[in-house]
Amino acid sequence: MKIAIFGLGYVGAVSGACFAELGHEVIGVDISDAKINLINRGEAPIVEEMIAELTAGAVKLGKLRAMKDAAAAVGETDVSLVSVGTPTGRDGAPDLSYVDHVVEEIGAALRGTAKSHTVVIRSTIPPGSTEQRLAPLLEKAAGEKLGARIHLAFNPEFLREGRSVRDFRQPPFTIIGALSDVAFEQTAALYAGVESEVIRTDPATAESIKLLSNAWHGLKVAFANEAARILKPSQVDVRKALEIFAKDTVLNISPAYLRPGFAFGGSCLPKDLRAMISLADRSQAAAPIMKATLMSNEAQLDAALTAIRACGRRPVTLFGLAFKPGTDDLRESPYVALAEKLIGKGYDLRIVDPFVDASRLMGKNKEFIEREIPHFVDLMARDAEDAVDAAEIIVYGHATGVDKGAILERGVGKILIDLSGDRDLECCGADYKGVAW
Ligand SMILES: NC(=O)c1ccc[n+]([C@@H]2O[C@H](COP(=O)([O-])OP(=O)(O)OC[C@H]3O[C@@H](n4cnc5c(N)ncnc54)[C@H](O)[C@@H]3O)[C@@H](O)[C@H]2O)c1
């Protein structure tokens, strides 16, 4: 394919040389004469492992050259890849003016021509930018609607400086947030020869994955450093501890727990976070992540309460009281906390949780219930069908298969607030709302 790459910085220079290596014909575009001259002499405009050799080889073969003239570059190519900078602006949001400008230049270059062209945004931009900001800009500049001959996609870049050529050749995945089938196909075709899963999604999801990834990487670094500050006084070699910790790919380094929904609770997570905070406090080590984790969990509880209150209806039936399904353990259950808040706000509340109910009858959890939440006894509903019928709002934490069946059958016309992310609930005829999606 013939590709124009706008912005010959770290992303653009690496992409240019690597796409040329894959056999594409690449024209780099930049406002910097120095960078253009370097490339045309066969020299890389950045310092990176392998990039000097790749650039020299591609230029020699005639697969890579650079120019300043955006319109000429668009005129000679099938795809424009935008990798200009998006530095932090005054208000903390990224400054998208360079991307805007380039997209307008590309649109203007396409105006009045008959050529088909796909614009691929590679710069990191906030969710919604491609569809809500760049698509209208491109349409306006080109003087026509997208989707006929002009196409637009967002394709995030995951390379790490210092090993960016290796990362280009072996990316974790190739994500394409395409606005049309052609946009997807053209963008995917760029990566023919790169071994990685190609995932098609909508542009806003693709944009958010890039931000999520970097926020997650930052969090991992800060977590490791915070763990070291907290544990060092206990004579722990945290390098060794974290090395072993990372070997758990079932719970620690895995998709486990990475599902938005409701707050965590139970007998272990809050208690052990508090143990870490107390260790930190003992040695006056800063532990903002551990503390903020508890605060963020509390915020999720408040978000659920806000979502329920925003419905402006009552009474409420809550499905699930134990801290997770399949147990009767009520210790630090966020559902207990939510129920308490609802009672505090004067809600008429019913609670369905057969595990808790059975343990109350069998006496297992009797002591906890009688001591901590005696007022809950009268709220426990035995019959899920009756509890659904009596509710205006159903709050779904968790339920047995039979009780979930009662919601699916009888939930029509009710408001259903899903804290669990159970996709079956979305089509039960209720007015479905998720707290976290
Ligand atoms: N550097 C990384 O490791 C990395 C990784 C993934 C994503 N990103 C994202 O990719 C984007 C680019 O990052 P970078 O580090 O390559 O930036 P950079 O600052 O190194 O390069 C940007 C280039 O764009 C050029 N430019 C500015 N306006 C232009 C215009 N109108 N026409 C043509 N060129 C123009 C600049 O001269 C510069 O050469 C950013 O959004 C960044 O967040 C960067």
Side-chain angles (χ1 to χ4, degrees):
M1 294 171 87
K2 293 183 174 175
I3 314 168
I5 297 188
F6 287 79
L8 298 171
Y10 285 87
V11 171
V14 170
S15 305
C18 290
F19 279 126
E21 189 192 29
L22 286 175
H24 301 296
E25 205 174 297
V26 179
I27 302 176
V29 183
D30 205 290
I31 48 173
S32 158
D33 289 318
K35 288 189 180 187
I36 291 168
N37 293 337
L38 276 170
I39 292 215
N40 287 335
R41 284 206 303 268
E43 293 173 40
I46 55 160
V47 178
E48 272 288 310
E49 191 183 68
M50 292 185 272
I51 195 71
E53 305 88 287
L54 276 178
T55 306
V59 172
K60 203 169 164 194
L61 281 175
K63 290 281 182 192
L64 174 64
R65 63 200 156 99
M67 60 171 69
K68 215 170 181 176
D69 187 339
V74 172
E76 288 188 44
T77 52
D78 316 304
V79 174
S80 284
L81 220 125
V82 180
S83 58
V84 294
T86 49
T88 302
R90 277 193 192 166
D91 60 353
D95 174 0
L96 303 187
S97 58
Y98 303 103
V99 180
D100 291 348
H101 180 73
V102 167
V103 165
E104 283 173 335
E105 274 188 322
I106 297 168
L110 292 167
R111 194 181 189 105
T113 71
K115 114 187 230 82
S116 290
H117 202 79
T118 297
V119 181
V120 181
I121 310 297
R122 212 63 177 124
S123 301
T124 302
I125 52 178
S129 306
T130 299
E131 200 158 3
Q132 286 155 34
R133 179 180 177 122
L134 301 178
L137 276 184
L138 185 57
E139 284 182 338
K140 192 167 173 224
E144 67 177 68
K145 287 273 168 212
L146 301 185
R149 72 181 179 101
I150 304 173
H151 301 273
L152 180 62
F154 176 77
N155 168 224
E157 170 63 73
F158 294 100
L159 61 78
R160 290 165 289 178
E161 284 179 25
R163 49 165 302 150
S164 54
V165 172
R166 276 182 288 161
D167 283 349
F168 183 96
R169 290 172 178 168
Q170 281 183 313
F173 39 34
T174 296
I175 297 178
I176 302 172
L179 281 174
S180 64
D181 290 344
V182 176
F184 171 72
E185 283 151 19
Q186 289 284 92
T187 312
L190 294 174
Y191 295 96
V194 174
E195 270 183 38
S196 78
E197 186 186 359
V198 176
I199 300 171
R200 179 174 179 175
T201 184
D202 59 282
T205 302
E207 289 158 339
S208 70
I209 291 166
K210 177 65 203 172
L211 292 187
L212 282 170
S213 301
N214 278 347
W216 180 240
H217 302 160
L219 179 63
K220 283 169 83 175
V221 173
F223 179 86
N225 287 333
E226 186 167 312
R229 289 196 300 272
I230 296 171
L231 294 172
K232 194 177 169 209
S234 310
Q235 313 299 322
V236 175
D237 182 344
V238 184
R239 290 169 302 182
K240 200 160 73 188
L242 283 175
E243 246 173 61
I244 300 170
F245 163 95
K247 286 185 194 289
D248 173 359
T249 52
V250 178
L251 298 180
N252 290 351
I253 310 300
S254 79
Y257 301 120
L258 270 179
R259 289 175 60 237
F262 196 38
F264 62 76
S267 57
C268 296
L269 269 56
K271 174 175 81 72
D272 293 349
L273 268 160
R274 287 195 296 268
M276 287 291 273
I277 293 166
S278 80
L279 278 176
D281 287 347
R282 207 181 294 166
S283 62
Q284 293 184 341
I289 294 175
M290 304 295 163
K291 291 176 184 168
T293 303
L294 290 176
M295 282 163 62
S296 181
N297 203 44
E298 194 65 31
Q300 191 66 358
L301 192 63
D302 291 341
L305 183 66
T306 304
I308 296 167
R309 296 191 70 198
C311 298
R313 278 161 66 180
R314 37 184 85 200
V316 171
T317 293
L318 170 65
F319 278 82
L321 189 62
F323 86 97
K324 64 178 180 182
T327 174
D328 63 350
D329 196 347
L330 292 168
R331 285 172 297 173
E332 300 210 43
S333 166
Y335 302 104
V336 172
L338 180 62
E340 292 281 22
K341 284 178 188 274
L342 288 169
I343 296 165
K345 294 285 175 203
Y347 275 82
D348 177 6
L349 178 69
R350 285 171 186 75
I351 301 168
V352 184
D353 192 327
F355 284 94
V356 173
D357 206 39
S359 85
R360 179 174 69 81
L361 291 175
M362 292 187 305
K364 265 202 220 156
N365 243 337
K366 202 165 177 279
E367 196 197 331
F368 179 88
I369 293 171
E370 284 171 2
R371 191 183 64 238
E372 301 287 337
I373 47 172
H375 50 300
F376 276 38
V377 172
D378 293 338
L379 308 180
M380 300 303 294
R382 298 268 167 74
D383 189 312
E385 291 189 352
D386 289 350
V388 171
D389 290 347
E392 284 287 312
I393 301 176
I394 298 162
V395 179
Y396 186 89
H398 53 83
T400 62
V402 175
D403 290 354
K404 189 172 120 182
I407 299 171
L408 295 177
E409 269 173 34
R410 306 167 90 93
V412 182
K414 318 269 177 193
I415 295 173
L416 174 53
I417 297 185
D418 181 13
L419 304 177
S420 76
D422 187 327
R423 293 206 179 268
D424 293 348
L425 299 172
E426 285 179 42
C427 36
C428 74
D431 180 3
Y432 175 89
K433 299 174 197 294
V435 170
W437 47 88

